[in-house]
Amino acid sequence: MAAVKASEARGDPPLLRAVELARVAAGEGIGIPSADLAAILVSNLCFAHNSPSLWKLVGQAMASRLLCPLHVLALLTPRVLPQRRVQPEAYRLYLELIKGNVTSSSLFMEAGPNRDKITKSIADALQLSKNYGYCGTEFGHVVVMFVLAVVTKLIDSILEDCGLPSGMAEGQESVYAIEGPQPMDLDVKKVSTENQNEHREQLRRKNTVMALDVLHMMVADRKIQSFLRLIFLNMPEKFSYLSQRLSSIEAHKVALETLLPAGHKINDLLIDIRRVCNANYQPNNKHIVDVLGNTRSGGSLLGQLTGAGRAACWIIFDIYVENAIDGKHLSGISAIEVLKETTKTLQVLNEASWPETFKALWISALRLVQRAREPLEGPIPHLDARLCMLLALIPLSVAAILKEESDMFGAEGSKILPRRQGLISSLQDLIQYSGLLVPPSSVMNAANSAASKAAIFKSNYNAGVVNSSMVAQIDSSTKAVGNMLHLIIEACISRNLIDTSAYLWPGYVVSSGPLKDTTLPQESPWLNFIKGAPLSGPLIDALVATPASSVGELDKLYNIAANGSEEEKTAAAKILCGASLVRGWNIQEHVVGMVVKLLSASLPSDSSTSTPGSHYLAQMSTLNEILLGVAYGDAIHILSLYGMVPDVAAALMPLCEGFGSIAPPPNHKSTILGETSVYSVFSCAFLCLLRLWKFYKPPQEYCLAGRGGSVRMELTLDYLLLMRNNRIDFTNSSAPSRDSYNNMGSVNEVPAQPVYIDSFPKLRAWYFQNQACIASTLSGLCNKNPVHQVANKILSMICRKMNKVGVSSGNLSSTSSSSVSGSSVNASDDSFQRPAVPAWEFLEAVPFVLEAVLTACAHGRLSSRDLTTSLRDLVDFLPASLAAIVSYFSAEITRGIWKPVPMNGIEWPSPGASLHSIEAEIKEILASAGVQIHSCYPHPFRWCAANASFTDGCACQLDNYI
């Protein structure tokens, strides 16, 4: 009240006063909406500090959800109604509050962490036990009884104000107050003049009319009719109280219509209430379910407007997380920021409490992980990206939300602020969702380990062991069955969102005997690494397969990767891009920053004084390990979820420019997995760069509207660089105000220099050539053009068993051989036929090679099998050629110039000879399971070579296909 009076003295508007009230309440650790706060304000309002400004503050607090509207009205009803004759101004404002709230969904909103206390306070204020014999404590039941009590008391007030008997049963109390002097009136000057008395008498008459309007509005509402119907069917003895009032209204109907200007509403009032007694009445079951069926969540306005269930209000969470893990569309914006803003917005739109909001967010992410078990598209479910969303990105977004609250209200001592309390409540509620908490098999051991850790903590806590170091050592054989909740709790504890008291929650730890497929507790290899063990083969393999558990371990590893010997750098880079990057959920944001910085740190310090080629060659092994780690299926996707795609693109561009300008050794034959070469490092960097945007689409297709009018923006290289440069400008201008959750320390501080595509002439030339190939057909080449010479060398290499291969004005002249060896280039081939040119020169010639071989195939000079194996040899020699193949063929298919190439089973060997043995094996397997089938192919099998892949061994290919 001191804060309220001080704010009033300053002349603050109601909204600012409500904000000040919220700040004080949060400082006291009071949950919102607060039962104590409502009691304090109402007790002062009635009538120690009965002023218009305090009424406005109460109304603003109800609208801002600092107070539960149902609770405030319940507290005001027994105080205001008996004093309505003496305090007509207060009665008028009370009716205004009912009119603005009683038919709104906000009246039955979530009661929050103080639900039980608010429920009891409502029951006590309305004396439900004394007046109606109701002793329950369920929130939904109290809502129904509130409606009955308010409707009954308003009818009594109207009848008594008109001088008519209310029809109360014997022993019931009147809503009239005992006449006598009151402690305070709205007139602070206490001037009893004849004009004032006349004014207040007019106000009393107007209040009676307004009470009839409010009562008519209430009983006409379908939601309130549903509640009255429930009382009529299930508690007829309590409905009899209302029936008595209706009988009195009918007996004095003529008098009421004469006394009240709005007397015509009397008949409507009787019809609406009598309707609920009709056997054919159909109530609005949705409103009943909203309030009674789920007492822990209020009726969302969004859900009511859409006619959908409560879960539909949170569908935006499901849509976003599903789109975010779609590997076909990488994002340049951090999912942490998107999740934070989406969560805050939905919490307001759905009029939801923080426990309900956080719970919906967790459930959406858990469903996302469960959907990985049955992927709808393709064999890769992107499980690691889904786990990253659940165990890393959502905890980081929640941390940002909690930090905003702590910055706004401050954290004093051990007081838990409402948002953090909401997080704890949401996690406790997740225990009941056992179906969603089943972990995927790949993280089963991690879940069991987390559960065992909690079981050890609980066992030692009960035994009185308080030393954290001893807790980790005593009773290490304790095992427990783990699920996804244990991993979520560990992720939250690691980021200080909650403390280890979560281990003591009821039902959190489920002890178990011997666990199947669970290894015995072993010392983490990271402990050996921290103790100074050298990075040898076995330790490297163990560290690659085991995520780091602390930032200190990562810092030591990063220092080795940046300053160690060449062997140590290579090993450290391999470890950093291993399990720590993909499944180090508790420290993943730090690993992502380190990986991007290592890629960016490979730039020459002074390009004018050093040769870029020698600089890149010196770091080739380290860069190769980093690029291989980033190229892993989900790794680049995880980087995009952290919003690092623009930074990755800026780091890869100089690598592509540098390695693409270095010629390979003359004896280079093919790029074999596991061997490090100029071509392999360039190809890996180049293909990683191309994965960041749809390089094979024409620019006009980057932004297309669908049938519904929605537009989806695709990333382009220019846009990625623009995002990165703008981010640098923003960071430099607002460095002190950066959020701590997104500030991963000095390791994330990549050199803040803008990057432009004009700085990389070779990459820029290919970029525009690629766009030109997509936009139009290729033009012819003269024989003296250097690209013509490189293209001829490539054709000589990939079609080496054919006679007279060459490019002449874009056409290939050759006499086709019946077969071309499907094996890679071998040592007996003439090495001078292999083009030992830098990768950029090679890529420049690839589209002309593709046009030549495609033209030859279309004219029957090259068989389809020769075409396929030639392309495979091309990719084996320079894997980056795959980009040109995809881009060129996609454009040519779109143009529709080429005729279909027949694959008739002549060039491709038929696997029909092995089908009988394959069928026999399948039938034997099915027979062992009790399934008998007939022959799969009663007619002679006709092989369609279109089902074969680019490699030979078609029988084996079909076996794999089946």
Side-chain angles (χ1 to χ4, degrees), residues 552-576:
E553 296 168 350
L554 293 177
D555 288 339
K556 181 177 180 179
L557 185 66
Y558 178 80
N559 289 332
I560 295 176
N563 306 314
S565 63
E566 186 63 29
E567 293 77 10
E568 289 177 335
K569 287 182 178 181
T570 303
K574 182 178 181 180
I575 296 169
L576 197 62

Side-chain angles (χ1 to χ4, degrees), residues 343-365:
T343 302
K344 291 163 55 182
T345 301
L346 288 182
Q347 190 266 339
V348 174
L349 289 179
N350 292 341
E351 301 178 358
S353 64
W354 283 110
E356 186 181 7
T357 304
F358 286 138
K359 179 180 174 181
L361 181 60
W362 291 119
I363 289 178
S364 295

Side-chain angles (χ1 to χ4, degrees), residues 787-815:
V787 179
H788 175 277
Q789 301 173 9
V790 175
N792 273 334
K793 291 182 179 179
I794 296 175
L795 286 169
S796 299
M797 176 186 67
I798 64 176
C799 304
R800 57 193 175 280
K801 294 295 181 66
M802 301 170 60
N803 299 325
K804 287 191 151 186
V805 180
V807 175
S808 178
S809 298
N811 296 323
L812 178 145
S813 57
S814 165
T815 56

Side-chain angles (χ1 to χ4, degrees), residues 762-785:
K762 302 292 181 62
L763 175 61
R764 181 179 181 274
W766 176 88
Y767 185 62
F768 288 119
Q769 184 199 28
N770 181 69
Q771 290 183 338
C773 290
I774 295 173
S776 62
T777 57
L778 296 175
S779 59
L781 290 176
C782 62
N783 292 336
K784 295 182 180 180
N785 193 307

